[in-house]
Amino acid sequence: MSSNSGIQIPSRLPLLCTHDGVLLPGSTMRISVDTARNMQLVKSRLLKGTSLKSTIIGVIPNTRDPEHDSDELPSLHSIGTAGLAVQVVGSNWPKPHYTLLITGLCRFRVTQLLRERPFPVAEVEQLDKLEQYTEGGQADGELGELSQRFYQAAVQLVGMLDMSVPVVAKLRRLLDSLPRETLPDVLASMIRTSNKEKLQVLDAVDLEERFKKALPLLTRQIEGLKLLQKTRKLRPDDDKRVLAIRKGGVFPGRQFSLDEEVEDEDGDDTAMLEKKVKAAAMPEAALRVCLKELKRLKKMPQSMPEYALTHNYLEMMVELPWSKSTTDCLDIRAARVLLDNDHYAMEKLKRRVLEYLAVRQLKSTLKGPILCFVGPPGVGKTSVGRSIARTLGREFHRIALGGVCDQSDIRGHRRTYVGSMPGRIINGLKTVGVNNPVFLLDEVDKLGKSLQGDPAAALLEVLDPEQNHSFTDHYLNVPFDLSQVLFIATANTTATIPPALLDRMEVLQVPGYTQEEKVEIAHRHLIPHQLEQHGLTPQQLQIPQDTTKDIISKYTREAGVRSLERKIGAICRAVAVKVAEGHKVSRAESPTEQHNKEEDSGIASPPEMPIVIDHIALKDILGPPVFEMEVSERLTLPGVAIGLAWTPMGGEIMFVEASRMEGDGQLTLTGQLGDVMKESAHLAISWLRSNAKTYLLANGSADPLEGTDIHLHFPAGAVTKDGPSAGVTIVTCLASLLSGRLVRSDVAMTGEITLRGLVLPVGGIKDKVLAAHRANLKRVIIPKRNEKDLEEIPAHVRADLDFVFASTLDEVLNAAFDGGFPAASDCPIVNYTVKV
C-alpha cells in the first residue's frame, strides 16, 4: 500500500457556502447560487477565470437556515470538499441566480479565513491522502475486512435492482472499476441519506472510520428493500424497479439517490389504468395500441421522462368517449315548441332541425349533418346552436376558431414534441364525455394561415361525412369516429371560407331581422332578460312597443339585435338609479322640471310604479336620436340616387352623388371604391353617352360630357366599397344629373349592368330588401332574375314594398323617375329582352 493522492489543490480557495446538500469527493452535484457572496464568487472566479485552477473552488456545507441570509458570514464548517466547476448556467427567473454543476475532488480543512468580502477566501489544507491498492494487492487487517464487506454489500444492493435498466448496469460496472477506498463517498452520495449523515461521512478523514460510517447506511438501504419486497410480495421482475435517479442518470462521479421506497400508488395506478383500458370499450385498433403502451409502462422506471408522457397518453385514451353517447329526443312536437320558445323567426333553421329529427326517427344510424349558419353578427347563430343541442338532448361544446392559425389546434401535436396535446376536437369530446355532441365551430370564416399550417385544410377531414368516421388526431395516432357528432359552423360571410371547406358544409343563410321581428324579439326575450339582469321587475319598468320601435329606428341600425339589447340595458340602468335614489321619472315632465318641483317641496318624490318609458324619457336617457331618416332631404337636388349594398353586418342603403362642372370630359371617382365599382362607373358613363340622344341628354351636342367634368362620390368615404351591384344606381344618378330631374325619394335599387343596357342578377337580395324596409322606402328595383329570391322575405315586408323587376336599364329609369324617363319611340334598347 502506498500513499499517493494523485490530486493537488491550491493552498488558497474561494469558498462556496451551500445549504441544500453535502458534496462528497467523487460525486457530482448541482448547486443553486442566489446569495450575494456566492453570486459574486461565480462572476469573479468562474465566469472570468481562464485557467483550470480558477474553476476549482471550496464547497463548505452551511447548516444555517438559508432564509436568514445577511451581511454576516455564517460560521463555516471546518471540513469541506474541493470541487471542479464543470458547468455554469444563469437565469433571471424567478430571480437572478446561477446553477453550478460541480464534481467533488478531495477533502480539505480550513486553516485560516483570509477575507470575507466580496466572497470568502481561506487558507486550506488538503486532507485526502487516499490509500490505493497496488495491482493485485490486498488490504490488511480491519481496513481490508471493512472494505471487502462494504464491496459485497454494494454488490448485493445493485443486484436487487433491475439489471435491464441501463443506469443500473452502468452502476454495476462502476463497482468493479472504481478503487474500493472511493466507494464510501460514492455510495453515500447515491443512497437515501440525510445531510447530517452525509456530513458525518465527510468528516471521516480516516479511511477506516469512513467505511464504518458508510456501511450502516448501505445496510439500512438493503434491509429496507428486503422489507419492501416482502410486504408488497412483488414479482421478481417487479421488485427491482426501485431506482429513483436524479435527473440526468448515472455517470461516473455523478450524485444519485437510490430511493428505498417504491411509490405505493405506482403499482396501484398502473393496475387501475389497465382496468380502465379494458373497460373503455375501445375499437380493436385503439385497444391494441393501449395494451402495447401499457406493457411498456410497466417495464419503465417511474423516473424516466417518457413514463409521464406514456401515462398521460393512456389517461387521455381511457377518458375519451369511445362508446358513450346520449339518446336523442325525437319528439318533433316538443322540439318545435322548444325552438319557438327560444327563438322568434328563423324558420329555415328550425325546419332543418325538425327534418333531421324526422329522418332520425326513420333511420337511427343517420350521420350527423354538417351545417353552416351564415349571417350578420347578432342574429342568433351561436344561440341557435345551443338551442339545437337542448332540443336534441345532446351535450353542447363551442370551439372558437377566430384567429386560429395553427393546424395543430385542430389535429393536435405529435407525441414526439415536448408539451404535446390533442387538438380541440378530441379535447372537446373528452370535455363533454359523449361521442355524439353538438359541436359549434364559431367564426369559421376567420381562420388564419401561418407557417404552422392551414387549420382550414385540417378541418376538411373533420367536416367530411365520408371521412370523419376515422378522424386521426396526431396525438392519439389512432382513428376516432366523428360521424355521430352534429357539427354546426357559423360565419359572417362565405367569401373568406376556402371553396373546398365550403363544399363540405350545408350553408343556411341567417339574414337580419325586420323591424317587426325585432320588436317581437325585444318583448319576448331581450326586455325580460335585461330586467332580470338589473334587478327590476315588470311592475317597476315598462317599455311600450312604440318606444321599442323608436329605439330600433332612431338609435340602432343593424341586422341583429345586440345594439338593441345594449340600449335596453342602458334604459334599465337609468331606471335602476332612479328607483334606488327614490326619484320619479315622469312621462310628462323633463328632468329639469322634476328637479325644480323637488326643490320646491324639499322632499324627493318616491317613484311611481310602473315607470313607463315614452319618447321624452327615451330622449332623456339615450340622448338625441342617432339615426334620422334623411332620405327625402338627400334627394332634393338632381344627381342623387339610393343604392342597396350588402355587408357582413347585413344590408344597408347607400347614397350615390354626382356633380358636373366645366372641364374636358374627365370622370372623378371618390369614396374608397374598388376596381369592380370603378369599372361599373365607367360602364355607366359609356352607356349614357352612347344613348344620350335617345334619352334627350345631349342638349343639342353629340356628347353630353363635352366641355363637362363629372365627379361621382359615394359617401362614408372611410369605408371601402366594391362590387358590381351599384351599376344601376350609378346610371340612375348620372341620368338625373344630366337631365336635371329628381329621382324619386322613396326608391332604392340594385343590379349589375352590361354595356348593352341589360340588368344582371346580384346576391344578398334579402338583406338589401330588409335594409330598404328599415329605411322606410316604398319602391325597390331589382333584377328580373332575382325575383325568385323574394320568397325568403317575410310576407309583411313584401306587402309594404312595391317591387319593380327590371331586365333593362330602360325599365330601371322609368321606375326611378316620376312619370317615367323620356325615351324615343325608336330606342333600340327597348327591344332587348332577357329570357329567364
Side-chain angles (χ1 to χ4, degrees), residues 233-466:
K233 297 180 180 179
L234 295 177
R235 298 177 316 207
D237 290 340
D238 290 337
D239 61 0
K240 298 175 184 177
R241 292 187 291 110
V242 294
L243 182 60
I245 307 152
R246 289 185 180 176
K247 51 187 176 181
V250 176
F251 296 97
R254 183 69 182 263
Q255 181 164 344
F256 321 92
S257 174
L258 287 178
D259 192 347
E260 78 274 10
E261 297 180 3
V262 176
E263 298 289 340
D264 287 341
E265 62 271 14
D266 180 24
D268 297 340
D269 189 42
T270 305
M272 183 64 68
L273 202 55
E274 186 173 4
K275 291 181 181 178
K276 290 181 179 178
V277 168
K278 295 178 179 178
M282 302 179 186
E284 184 179 350
L287 181 60
R288 189 164 54 247
V289 170
C290 284
L291 293 178
K292 181 180 178 181
E293 293 293 327
L294 194 62
K295 185 177 180 181
R296 291 180 63 243
L297 188 70
K298 291 179 180 179
K299 296 181 179 180
M300 201 181 298
Q302 191 178 3
S303 58
M304 289 185 65
E306 195 176 352
Y307 181 93
L309 297 177
T310 305
H311 188 276
N312 291 341
Y313 173 76
L314 290 173
E315 284 283 359
M316 171 60 72
M317 292 290 282
V318 299
E319 290 177 5
L320 287 177
W322 299 95
S323 57
K324 298 177 183 177
S325 60
T326 55
T327 303
D328 285 347
C329 176
L330 301 178
D331 188 342
I332 295 181
R333 292 183 179 178
R336 179 181 283 111
V337 171
L338 183 59
L339 289 172
D340 288 340
N341 289 339
D342 285 351
H343 292 86
Y344 183 76
M346 308 182 90
E347 298 301 328
K348 182 184 290 188
L349 269 63
K350 296 177 185 177
R351 184 169 63 249
R352 183 64 182 87
V353 176
L354 296 177
E355 289 172 355
Y356 173 74
L357 288 178
V359 178
R360 282 282 284 115
Q361 282 187 352
L362 303 177
K363 184 176 175 61
S364 59
T365 59
L366 178 66
K367 294 180 180 180
I370 315 294
L371 306 178
C372 181
F373 298 161
V374 179
V379 296
K381 301 184 296 295
T382 302
S383 59
V384 165
R386 188 175 285 107
S387 293
I388 290 174
R390 211 171 65 188
T391 301
L392 296 173
R394 293 191 181 189
E395 297 292 333
F396 177 80
H397 185 71
R398 174 179 172 269
I399 300 176
L401 296 179
V404 172
C405 56
D406 186 351
Q407 69 157 347
S408 298
D409 277 3
I410 308 299
R411 282 190 167 276
H413 303 80
R414 299 190 186 277
R415 283 194 291 148
T416 52
Y417 297 107
V418 176
S420 59
M421 61 181 68
R424 295 194 184 189
I425 303 297
I426 295 298
N427 260 330
L429 289 168
K430 174 188 171 184
T431 301
V432 298
V434 293
N435 62 7
N436 64 337
V438 174
F439 267 17
L440 184 79
L441 305 178
D442 216 1
E443 310 292 356
V444 74
D445 59 325
K446 297 175 180 61
L447 285 169
K449 194 175 183 180
S450 68
L451 295 176
Q452 285 73 38
D454 185 1
L459 278 175
L460 294 179
E461 182 183 3
V462 176
L463 300 182
D464 191 339
E466 300 301 323

Side-chain angles (χ1 to χ4, degrees), residues 586 588-600 616:
S586 173
E589 297 174 345
S590 68
T592 303
E593 292 171 334
Q594 297 171 25
H595 180 68
N596 294 336
K597 180 182 288 188
E598 291 168 3
E599 283 187 347
D600 293 340
I616 297 177

Side-chain angles (χ1 to χ4, degrees), residues 629 631 642-644 651-653 746-749 766-780 797 801 803:
M629 288 306 170
V631 175
I642 304 174
L644 296 173
E652 290 190 7
I653 64 171
D746 61 349
V747 173
M749 61 200 73
K766 182 174 182 180
D767 291 309
K768 294 176 180 179
V769 170
L770 293 179
H773 188 259
R774 286 196 297 268
N776 291 325
L777 300 176
K778 300 302 180 184
R779 176 175 290 186
V780 178
V797 174
L801 296 174
F803 292 95

